Amino acid sequence: MFYHAMLIKYAEIAIKGKNRYVFEDALVREITRTLKPLEGEYTVKKESGRIFVFCPEEYDYEETVEALKRVFGIVEFCPVAVYADQGIEKLCEDAVSYMTEVHPGYSGSFKVITRRALKTYPVPSMEVNAEVGGAVLQAFPDAHVDVHEPELELHIEIRDKIYIYSQSIKGPGGMPIGTAGKAMVLLSGGIDSPVAAYMIAKRGVEIEAIYFHAPPYTSERAKQKVVDLAKIVARYCGRIRLHVVNFTDIQLYIYEKCPHEELTIIMRRYMMRLAEHFARKDDCQGLVTGESIGQVASQTMKSLAATNDVCTMPVYRPVIAFDKQEIVEMSWKIGTFDTSILPYEDCCTIFVAKHPVTKPNINVIRGSETKLAEKIDELMAEAIKTTEVIDIRG
Ligand code: ATP
Ligand code: MG
């Protein structure tokens, strides 16, 4: 079957009252952006409370479906066959030929649902339902009508042309990117933070990212892995500005001055401070991490509190209550898992103590940090100055 168009459905947006237009426009923009790299010219149009994607004369159906599955804000979408309006008899013929091609030999229950967007159409909806239903029954003698719980809904939408559809493909849901502000994701090479980035982006939040690397203790390949992960997430959210901070000197200095069992916590506090610096500079309204309660020593409630202590911006932790297995499953779904498990070193694992504190006392940690007074400001300024920003597009 050749599908001329896709009907885009977007429940959550529709209930947004006055904001509806803002959301629809954002969704049109996001769909347009996502389809742009594909072969051919797609037209995305708002038409009387609906969004349609009109496909080029020649296009790759599978690729188009895959692309639309990545656009946040789409709840579901329906491939539509479009026919010229040549009267009700021809409409019935077209509906039968649609059924023959899309559901050959159909023998289940069905219902015809007509929507007259073109109010001047001479035949009322109920009559179209009856006429088309009759024609389909004749062509498919084993099928039967069930108006309450049909297995198949045959939709006829009357516009300047006749739109016929019966299938629906699940979209990712959520809100279109650009409708909910901007956040800075602390993106490591692990499994959790790319999933966290995806989840926040799904709420319509534009994403920036920050990665702390520690050359020569962490390799160029470890950095490349984070770039690759950002690329995968950017397939959903469009563009990610990835900040790569050289964290080596700060880490070495903490290692030199502070108790080793507190290293991870103190290091994470400096990561947060630096992340917040760039977040403010770039107009982000929050930080995002892939932390999950109890996963490792630095993610007990007390450790999280100690890390959070230095933040003045809200810190969003979308996977906070997820089990590892649940996060893993999401990473399969979004396509980051295989990259996340590549075995490159992480700056956190290199300097970890054998017995890190699991119940840090915030005052003790603050006290330990005073030992850094001499050089830390200078090291922070240097880290900020040498930060590399990579513009990643999906
Ligand atoms: P992930 O799977 O996301 O790496 P993790 O289970 O390895 O998480 P930690 O290493 O304790 O957990 O890191 C917790 C969170 O801190 C990460 O999810 C990420 O948001 C942030 N983070 C850790 N290391 C880095 C890093 N090198 N650069 C940027 N963010 C980091
Ligand atoms: Mg990690």
Side-chain angles (χ1 to χ4, degrees):
M1 185 74 190
F2 183 84
Y3 297 105
H4 306 79
M6 301 285 174
L7 166 61
I8 308 292
K9 298 198 173 165
Y10 47 99
E12 195 171 357
I13 300 166
I15 55 168
K16 283 279 165 185
K18 270 203 302 193
N19 283 337
R20 176 173 177 150
Y21 297 104
V22 176
F23 283 82
E24 283 178 344
D25 289 346
L27 186 53
V28 167
R29 191 185 61 229
E30 284 301 295
I31 295 170
T32 308
R33 176 185 64 69
T34 308
L35 294 174
K36 201 154 187 172
L38 273 55
E39 201 73 27
E41 194 94 2
Y42 293 81
T43 318
V44 187
K45 262 195 202 161
K46 282 206 292 186
E47 274 186 15
S48 51
R50 301 223 171 199
I51 292 176
F52 283 98
V53 174
F54 294 98
C55 303
E57 275 173 31
E58 270 180 47
Y59 73 101
D60 187 325
Y61 175 79
E62 294 301 330
E63 219 176 55
T64 307
V65 166
E66 284 316 307
L68 291 176
K69 280 185 182 171
R70 296 196 304 267
V71 181
F72 296 133
I74 298 183
V75 173
E76 56 179 12
F77 56 101
C78 309
V80 181
V82 180
Y83 301 84
D85 173 16
Q86 296 171 323
I88 183 74
E89 269 170 40
K90 180 67 172 41
L91 194 162
C92 290
E93 276 172 34
D94 290 338
V96 168
S97 94
Y98 171 92
M99 284 292 294
T100 309
E101 209 171 325
V102 179
H103 307 285
Y106 189 70
S107 61
S109 61
F110 76 99
K111 173 189 184 177
V112 181
I113 301 170
T114 303
R115 185 173 189 258
R116 275 190 334 159
L118 183 74
K119 297 296 173 207
T120 55
Y121 193 74
V123 187
S125 306
M126 295 299 278
E127 221 173 298
V128 177
N129 288 344
E131 294 280 337
V132 173
V136 170
L137 280 175
Q138 227 173 20
F140 297 82
D142 296 331
H144 64 280
V145 173
D146 180 347
V147 290
H148 301 296
E149 277 181 50
E151 291 160 90
L152 186 151
E153 290 184 351
L154 181 62
H155 290 267
I156 312 283
E157 196 152 316
I158 298 168
R159 300 177 166 268
D160 54 333
K161 291 189 175 138
I162 309 299
Y163 292 29
I164 302 183
Y165 62 93
S166 61
Q167 296 157 297
S168 155
I169 301 164
K170 219 165 137 27
M175 317 275 241
I177 295 287
T179 54
K182 187 153 72 162
M184 177 69 77
V185 182
L186 284 87
L187 189 65
S188 69
I191 294 171
D192 309 329
S193 48
V195 169
Y198 171 91
M199 288 176 75
I200 288 290
K202 188 178 163 190
R203 299 309 304 162
V205 178
E206 213 178 302
I207 294 296
E208 296 214 0
I210 185 161
Y211 166 62
F212 299 91
H213 78 149
Y217 303 97
T218 62
S219 64
E220 208 39 42
R221 287 203 303 179
K223 172 180 155 191
Q224 185 56 43
K225 175 179 164 183
V226 175
V227 170
D228 292 342
L229 285 169
K231 268 189 197 153
I232 299 171
V233 177
R235 282 165 64 77
Y236 300 91
C237 65
R239 176 184 180 199
I240 296 180
R241 293 179 71 238
L242 173 65
H243 300 69
V244 180
V245 182
N246 186 332
F247 203 49
T248 315
D249 292 345
I250 294 175
Q251 264 183 314
L252 289 174
Y253 190 51
I254 299 171
Y255 193 76
E256 182 193 325
K257 299 282 184 188
C258 300
H260 286 186
E261 64 276 11
E262 293 170 11
L263 285 181
T264 309
I265 297 289
I266 296 176
M267 204 176 76
R268 300 194 48 71
R269 284 163 61 97
Y270 279 97
M271 283 188 185
M272 288 303 207
R273 289 180 173 108
L274 286 163
E276 199 167 289
H277 167 86
F278 287 105
R280 277 198 198 294
K281 188 165 156 271
D282 291 353
D283 218 12
C284 296
Q285 292 92 48
L287 303 177
V288 180
T289 75
E291 288 160 316
S292 157
I293 294 176
Q295 203 184 77
V296 285
S298 60
Q299 295 178 29
T300 63
M301 295 276 275
K302 283 208 165 141
S303 298
L304 289 166
T307 309
N308 210 74
D309 178 49
V310 300
C311 302
T312 58
M313 246 186 207
V315 182
Y316 298 103
R317 300 176 171 94
V319 299
I320 194 71
F322 280 31
D323 292 345
K324 191 73 188 188
Q325 187 55 27
E326 292 171 305
I327 305 174
V328 163
E329 279 164 25
M330 277 210 70
S331 75
W332 285 335
K333 206 183 89 187
I334 66 175
T336 49
F337 182 78
D338 290 345
T339 307
S340 287
I341 58 167
L342 293 174
Y344 305 133
E345 60 296 314
D346 174 350
C347 74
C348 296
T349 50
I350 286 162
F351 294 92
V352 287
K354 280 203 183 67
H355 302 290
V357 281
T358 52
K359 291 181 186 158
N361 176 311
I362 292 182
N363 290 322
V364 173
I365 298 284
R366 286 179 184 163
S368 301
E369 279 183 1
T370 60
K371 299 183 183 122
L372 302 170
E374 194 191 333
K375 266 169 61 181
I376 195 71
D377 288 348
E378 186 191 322
L379 292 176
M380 291 272 279
E382 185 63 20
I384 289 167
K385 213 173 80 190
T386 55
T387 291
E388 176 193 6
V389 182
I390 307 174
D391 198 354
I392 290 169
R393 287 176 196 263

